[in-house]
Amino acid sequence: MSRIRLLMSVEGQTEQAFVGAAIAPHLAGHGVDASARLLFTNRKRGGRGGVMRYSQVRRDLERLFKQHRGNDVRFTSMIDLYALPDDFPGFSAAQAIADPAARVQCLEASFAADLGDERFIPFIQLHEFEAVLFCDLTQLAQRIDRSEYGIRALQREVAGMQPEQINDGEATAPSKRIIHHVPTYERSKPRLGATAAAAIGLPAIRRACPHFNGWITQLERLP
């Protein structure tokens, strides 16, 4: 069976490191050779992350599609719903949808339709990458000195909430909640976020995050 090359365009360095540490090794066992690249908008900003405008994302992906025309190549994205630019396809229609899972599915469908390449599998994270850290916050506590009190407070704050349902307010998005209780995280996000998520492991993340799990399942079935 021939192997598939999967080019993953990601929003930031944390996602890029997580793909290398956890997703790529897993997919290799399913005949998929995955690698992550920062979206062009991020490289212009020195690799700091954050989608600026959809028009820039579109140009970058279309350029990538033209560079890799083979049938053995697939493409996917890993960007956050939180702070998604308002020029994103389907943005207005999605805003009218109350359920976050249905909202992100609407956006992903519009994203794929706008790009028009059947090799592209869109993925928008509910609500941002840091949601996966809430699958097991003790992994952060183990990596940040004197964070136990803040992590316990954070655990109480989100008790009973599914990680992907933690909302996207300016003060209540997953990363904002972590930074509020454990300020050290803000200046160490790429290193701490990726290593903590990898330590949690894909099985635990997939059990707790249905939308993420659906994406990984699609990628497993690419060949």
Side-chain angles (χ1 to χ4, degrees), residues 65 75 112 115-121:
F65 298 164
F75 308 90
L115 289 172
D117 192 312
E118 62 183 13
R119 299 173 301 167
F120 177 64
I121 301 99

Side-chain angles (χ1 to χ4, degrees), residues 85-105:
D86 59 10
D87 67 336
F88 206 89
F91 187 87
S92 296
Q95 291 298 100
I97 301 173
D99 176 59
R103 189 186 317 146
V104 81
Q105 288 171 357

Side-chain angles (χ1 to χ4, degrees), residues 121-154:
I121 301 99
F123 176 67
I124 300 173
Q125 175 70 48
L126 274 167
H127 283 279
E128 60 177 340
F129 173 79
E130 276 77 12
V132 304
L133 301 179
F134 286 80
C135 298
D136 183 0
L137 286 166
T138 65
Q139 293 296 338
L140 269 185
Q142 293 174 22
R143 288 163 173 79
I144 303 176
D145 291 340
R146 296 183 294 278
S147 65
E148 292 82 2
Y149 178 82
I151 292 295
R152 285 197 296 270
L154 183 57

Side-chain angles (χ1 to χ4, degrees), residues 159-219:
M161 300 176 69
Q162 292 184 350
E164 289 182 329
Q165 294 297 320
I166 295 172
N167 63 30
D168 59 349
E170 291 187 8
T172 55
S175 65
K176 303 302 183 183
R177 291 177 188 261
I178 294 172
I179 292 166
H180 174 73
H181 291 285
V182 187
T184 303
Y185 181 74
E186 184 169 22
R187 60 178 180 270
S188 306
K189 284 175 64 174
R191 176 177 56 85
L192 291 176
T195 57
I200 293 168
L202 285 184
I205 294 172
R206 295 177 72 174
R207 285 193 298 271
C209 301
H211 185 61
F212 179 91
N213 178 57
W215 174 54
I216 296 296
T217 299
Q218 279 187 284
L219 301 182

